[in-house]
Amino acid sequence: MTGGSTDGSTGGSTGSGSGLAPGSVGRIVVGVTGSLASLAALRSAAVLARHDGVQLLAILVWEPPEGEALYARMPDRAWARMWAEDARRRLEDAVVDGLGGIPAGLAFEGRAVRGTPAAALRRVADRPGDLLVLGSAPGRGRAARLRRRPVLRAVLKSAGCPVLTVPGPALLPGEARVLRRNARTPAPRRRESTGTGVRGPASR
């Protein structure tokens, strides 16, 4: 079951913003990657959670760069700890970029989860009353559907709770290329820990 789309710019309730009855949502889970679409989803999820007075759980899913199958052949706990810490920091940065830090007056938790993205998101958003919020390609129609990433398609196909998709900002020609190039350029760490309480799983 999927909800409708929203641009994350309004302060409507989960009833009007997600297509669900008011008061039917008990927790909002939002998938975060640091992309512009996921930051839009994070902002929209925070608006909905604040309006309905429910918890906001931000999830960043990570897995070994070479995949779990190859890692299982040559496990290295030190590398796993490093990847887990990197995921935790990326989630903290996304919270700062998307919300300016931990939103005051809102029950918030950030969690870095190890696993394949679609399966991990479905596993976390498993409570009755959960609403899963994810970023998506901007626009409508067939072109937008084709731009949906495999993770979003997999979640929409088999999620056990309602899913609200939030379109990311539409970019001018060439802007996406510039953003990708800048993302590949290392920059000095400029933030200390935000005190988000972001946590990750034990290394294995």
Side-chain angles (χ1 to χ4, degrees):
M1 174 183 177
T2 61
S5 295
T6 176
D7 62 6
S9 62
T10 65
S13 71
T14 51
S16 61
S18 67
L20 301 174
S24 64
V25 174
R27 182 179 68 164
I28 296 178
V29 180
V30 56
V32 177
T33 63
S35 70
L36 293 179
S38 79
L39 295 180
L42 178 60
R43 287 189 288 269
S44 182
V47 169
L48 295 174
R50 185 181 300 281
H51 185 280
D52 281 16
V54 297
Q55 181 191 17
L56 176 61
L57 173 59
I59 299 294
L60 187 145
V61 182
W62 69 276
E63 58 183 333
E66 71 273 20
E68 292 288 359
L70 184 55
Y71 177 83
R73 294 172 57 187
M74 296 183 295
D76 188 316
R77 293 175 65 86
W79 278 99
R81 285 193 296 271
M82 182 185 69
W83 295 325
E85 176 63 15
D86 176 70
R88 186 188 65 79
R89 288 177 177 173
R90 286 189 287 121
L91 179 53
E92 288 190 339
D93 284 350
V95 171
V96 172
D97 290 340
L99 303 177
I102 296 301
L106 181 64
F108 177 88
E109 180 186 354
R111 192 184 302 172
V113 176
R114 181 173 177 175
T116 56
L121 289 169
R122 291 195 301 263
R123 186 171 66 249
V124 171
D126 64 347
R127 296 181 184 177
D130 275 352
L131 171 67
L132 179 58
V133 182
L134 299 173
S136 67
R140 298 177 180 272
R142 184 171 181 272
R145 289 196 297 271
L146 291 175
R147 289 197 300 272
R148 284 178 176 168
R149 298 298 177 90
V151 171
L152 178 58
R153 292 199 299 267
V155 172
L156 290 174
K157 183 177 180 180
S158 58
C161 70
V163 179
L164 175 65
T165 57
V166 179
L171 300 177
L172 296 173
E175 285 185 328
R177 184 171 60 254
V178 172
L179 290 172
R180 285 194 296 269
R181 184 174 66 245
N182 291 342
R184 291 194 297 266
T185 303
R189 297 288 302 175
R190 67 183 187 279
R191 301 186 182 99
E192 299 299 328
S193 173
T194 59
T196 61
V198 169
R199 58 189 178 88
S203 303
R204 62 180 186 268

